[in-house]
């Protein structure tokens, strides 16, 4: 999907194929003329089809780039985390997913149901935090199995759907404007640096640059900067859901369960009957279909539909969805070149559907709120920061991972570091990446407060 929700090296959806091992002793490779940043962490994007390709090219655009007037695009379908913007979302982020912002009325997250003593639903907050960590880990290591363990983009879209349904208790137009207001300024701030850097590196934009203003379509860019902007599929998909939610919620309320079940049909139609065009619209349509069930199961949670269902029915249905999604991923490895859910839209749809249904039903039926987090003040504080800066973490995590490589290269010049630090380890780069993310949070995270018309803070 165009999920970049996930995909820094989504070996397929995101135009990421193949893996390059990071060798600490190697000198920092120049960025000019390289694919993406070519830093060698995780899987590298390959929009021109260089390197390993799936044995049977897919027509979804997963993992393959498309060219439009000289611009390079990545058509992903996945970690997102995401996320949730839950953008955030609500990322996404949609890493997978941007990640949900986690703040009341945040771009990817409306105020969640109040938890005991905290004013927030810490169950949702904890899931969003885990989704963001999983997105960063996936973009560092490129683990094909990561989506099976925790489909972060599906989780972030489900959380966003629940929060959106809650927000739509107010006038729809006001809610949509609020969502866009909270999402776009952080995106513009981040995009300014990415666009200027690409212009310096010989990018010549066309009229498609308008998608850097409102990303309802994949923003264009050049090869040099692809590792920074490929994650924007999540923001685009999130905006589609936000714009469509007033209508989706009306339709859902007329026949909740039939609509929820029918939401699995579009991705099957795209796979077996009609394939979307290989362009921005087709890429967006595929991502929308892939996560439609997750968004609607968020509606089902908020509307009380899940709570009325019997546990045995929900568990059996969820296991059936998981079984089909898992079977499809492994049965079609030859076709897609991997079992990575981010590369296989049908598998992603059904696996995420079963996974998030269990998570949301557990919340609805047992009224779980994770209020116990308050007893662990440091952990509770970290969860709060993750949710208050979800958009920032999602947007800036790729750049942090990219910058980690030249920084580690400098460590080799210090004999003590060379001897005692695991400079060749990707785990070390993962740690340095998180250090840079935590530096970015107070430096640029205040933009989320400005977008929300709040007093800017270094930390939420």
């Amino acid at each position: 999907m165009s999920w970049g929700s996930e995909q820094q090296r989504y070996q397929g959806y995101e135009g990421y194929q193949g893996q390059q091992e990071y060798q600490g002793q190697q000198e920092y490779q120049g960025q000019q003329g390289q694919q993406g940043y070519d830093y060698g962490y995780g899987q590298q994007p390959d929009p021109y089809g260089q390197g390993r390709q799936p044995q049977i090219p897919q027509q979804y655009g997963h993992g393959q780039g498309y060219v439009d007037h000289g611009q390079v695009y990545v058509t992903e379908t996945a970690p997102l985390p995401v996320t949730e913007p839950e953008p955030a979302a609500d990322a996404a982020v949609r890493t997978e997913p941007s990640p949900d912002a986690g703040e009341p009325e945040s771009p990817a997250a409306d105020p969640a149901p109040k938890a005991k003593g905290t004013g927030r639903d810490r169950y949702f907050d904890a899931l969003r935090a885990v989704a963001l960590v999983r997105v960063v880990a996936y973009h560092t290591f490129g683990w094909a199995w990561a989506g099976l363990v925790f489909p972060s983009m599906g989780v972030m879209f489900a959380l966003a759907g629940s929060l959106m349904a809650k927000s739509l208790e107010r006038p729809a137009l006001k809610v949509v404007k609020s969502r866009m207001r909270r999402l776009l300024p952080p995106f513009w701030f981040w995009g300014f640096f990415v666009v200027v850097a690409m212009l310096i590196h010989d990018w010549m934009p066309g009229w498609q640059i308008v998608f850097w203003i409102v990303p309802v379509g994949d923003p264009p860019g050049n090869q040099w900067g692809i590792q920074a902007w490929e994650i924007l599929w999540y923001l685009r998909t999130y905006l589609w859901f936000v714009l469509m939610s007033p209508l989706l919620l009306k339709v859902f309320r007329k026949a909740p369960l039939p609509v929820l079940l029918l939401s699995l049909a579009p991705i099957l139609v795209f796979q077996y009957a009609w394939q979307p065009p290989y362009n921005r619209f087709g890429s967006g349509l595929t991502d929308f279909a892939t996560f439609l069930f997750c968004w609607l199961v968020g509606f089902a949670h908020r509307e009380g539909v899940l709570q009325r269902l019997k546990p045995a029915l929900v568990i059996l249905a969820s296991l059936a969805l998981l079984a089909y999604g898992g079977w499809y991923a492994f049965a079609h490895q030859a076709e897609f070149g991997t079992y990575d859910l981010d590369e296989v839209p049908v598998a992603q749809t059904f696996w995420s559907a079963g996974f998030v249904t269990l998570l949301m039903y557990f919340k609805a039926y047992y009224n779980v709120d994770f209020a116990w987090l308050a007893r662990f003040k440091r952990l509770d504080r970290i969860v709060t920061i993750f949710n208050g800066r979800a958009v920032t973490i999602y947007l800036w995590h790729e750049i942090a991972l990219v910058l980690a490589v030249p920084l580690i290269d400098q460590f080799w010049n210090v004999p003590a570091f060379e001897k005692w630090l695991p400079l060749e380890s990707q785990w070390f780069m993962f740690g340095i990446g998180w250090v840079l993310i935590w530096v970015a949070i107070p430096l640029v995270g205040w933009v989320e407060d400005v977008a929300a018309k709040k007093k800017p803070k270094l930390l939420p």
Side-chain angles (χ1 to χ4, degrees):
M1 39 191 39
S2 297
W3 340 0
S5 143
E6 262 241 74
Q7 273 192 310
Q8 161 181 29
R9 26 258 70 167
Y10 312 62
Q11 302 173 349
Y13 272 112
E14 328 279 307
Y16 286 84
Q17 304 187 359
Q19 279 188 310
Q20 294 180 318
E21 227 176 273
Y22 171 71
Q23 297 296 333
Q25 292 101 333
Q26 294 183 346
E27 296 181 2
Y28 169 59
Q29 299 181 9
Q31 298 174 351
Q32 301 275 5
Q34 302 296 325
Q35 295 185 23
Y37 290 102
D38 199 16
Y39 286 147
Y41 68 92
Q43 307 167 22
Q44 298 298 320
D46 192 6
Y48 290 133
Q50 303 170 2
R52 181 176 64 78
Q53 298 290 332
Q55 298 180 22
I56 300 178
Q58 296 308 303
Q59 301 181 33
Y60 283 135
H62 306 319
Q64 303 177 22
Y66 59 89
V67 179
D68 185 4
H69 301 295
Q71 305 297 330
V72 178
Y73 306 99
V74 170
T75 59
E76 320 91 332
T77 318
L80 29 192
V82 281
T83 258
E84 341 214 24
E86 192 175 31
D90 90 298
V93 33
R94 296 136 282 159
T95 42
E96 106 140 115
S98 152
D100 281 328
E103 288 294 320
E105 273 306 276
S106 74
D110 259 341
K114 293 187 178 182
K116 298 177 182 179
T118 66
R120 292 191 54 88
D121 189 326
R122 301 309 269 172
Y123 180 75
F124 277 13
D125 289 348
L127 288 178
R128 191 175 298 110
V130 172
L132 287 170
V133 172
R134 212 284 281 162
V135 167
V136 178
Y138 177 76
H139 289 174
T140 303
F141 302 100
W143 292 324
W145 48 264
L148 295 171
V149 174
F150 193 86
S152 58
M153 306 315 290
V155 170
M156 286 164 59
F157 279 117
L159 299 179
S162 178
L163 297 168
M164 189 67 184
K166 172 65 175 177
S167 294
L168 286 173
E169 295 173 359
R170 295 177 286 117
L173 182 59
K174 181 179 179 180
V175 172
V176 171
K177 286 182 177 179
S178 174
R179 278 288 197 280
M180 296 187 69
R181 186 193 73 239
R182 290 171 174 273
L183 176 62
L184 293 180
F187 165 67
W188 292 334
F189 185 81
W190 170 88
F192 172 81
F193 295 97
V194 175
V195 168
V196 168
M198 290 192 297
L199 291 173
I200 293 173
H201 287 81
D202 302 324
W203 180 46
M204 183 61 68
W207 68 266
Q208 300 92 345
I209 199 172
V210 298
F211 292 110
W212 280 99
I213 300 174
V214 182
V216 291
D218 295 324
N222 63 3
Q223 279 286 90
W224 180 86
I226 194 172
Q227 287 185 338
W229 55 259
E230 55 87 14
I231 61 173
L232 295 179
W233 74 270
Y234 177 76
L235 274 69
R236 180 252 296 143
T237 307
Y238 174 77
L239 282 179
W240 280 39
F241 278 122
V242 167
L243 295 173
M244 291 292 293
S245 281
L247 176 61
L248 286 174
L249 187 57
K250 288 182 180 180
V251 173
F252 177 82
R253 285 172 171 168
K254 292 182 180 298
L257 290 180
V259 170
L260 186 61
L261 293 175
L262 285 174
S263 67
L264 295 169
I267 197 65
L268 294 175
V269 171
F270 293 168
Q271 177 65 33
Y272 297 109
W274 175 76
Q275 294 170 338
Y278 193 57
N279 54 23
R280 280 191 183 86
F281 174 75
S283 175
L285 196 59
T286 300
D287 291 343
F288 184 85
T290 300
F291 294 108
L292 178 58
F293 182 97
C294 294
W295 191 270
L296 293 184
V297 86
F299 285 2
H301 164 264
R302 183 62 63 177
E303 295 288 299
V305 174
L306 293 180
Q307 192 172 4
R308 296 193 292 269
L309 300 177
K310 295 182 178 180
L313 175 63
V314 175
I315 292 173
L316 288 175
S318 298
L319 291 178
L321 293 170
L322 288 168
Y324 182 73
W327 168 82
Y328 193 95
F330 286 99
H332 292 77
Q333 285 190 75
E335 180 180 351
F336 290 90
T338 179
Y339 62 87
D340 189 337
L341 297 183
D342 289 342
E343 321 276 348
V344 191
V346 173
Q348 176 74 275
T349 297
F350 282 85
W351 184 270
S352 296
F355 199 96
V356 300
T357 297
L358 288 175
L359 288 179
M360 301 302 278
Y361 184 74
F362 183 70
K363 164 66 181 172
Y365 191 79
Y366 295 101
N367 195 28
V368 179
D369 60 14
F370 275 25
W372 53 264
L373 272 175
R375 299 198 300 268
F376 303 91
K377 296 188 180 301
R378 291 185 180 180
L379 179 59
D380 187 67
R381 180 62 177 146
I382 291 173
V383 170
T384 297
I385 293 173
F386 267 67
N387 282 267
R389 293 293 182 260
V391 181
T392 298
I393 294 173
Y394 185 80
L395 286 174
W396 291 90
H397 80 273
E398 284 274 28
I399 294 178
L401 291 173
V402 165
L403 294 178
V405 175
L407 178 60
I408 293 173
D409 283 345
Q410 297 304 312
F411 289 177
W412 287 94
N413 297 325
V414 181
F417 290 172
E418 181 180 0
K419 180 177 181 180
W420 298 109
L421 294 180
L423 301 182
E424 295 180 346
S425 170
Q426 283 190 309
W427 282 101
F428 185 73
M429 185 175 64
F430 181 64
I432 295 297
W434 273 110
V435 170
L436 295 177
I437 290 171
W438 281 105
V439 170
I441 288 174
L443 285 181
V444 300
W446 53 268
V447 179
E448 292 194 56
D449 292 330
V450 174
K453 296 183 178 180
K454 297 178 182 179
K455 181 179 179 179
K457 297 179 180 180
L458 293 179
L459 294 175

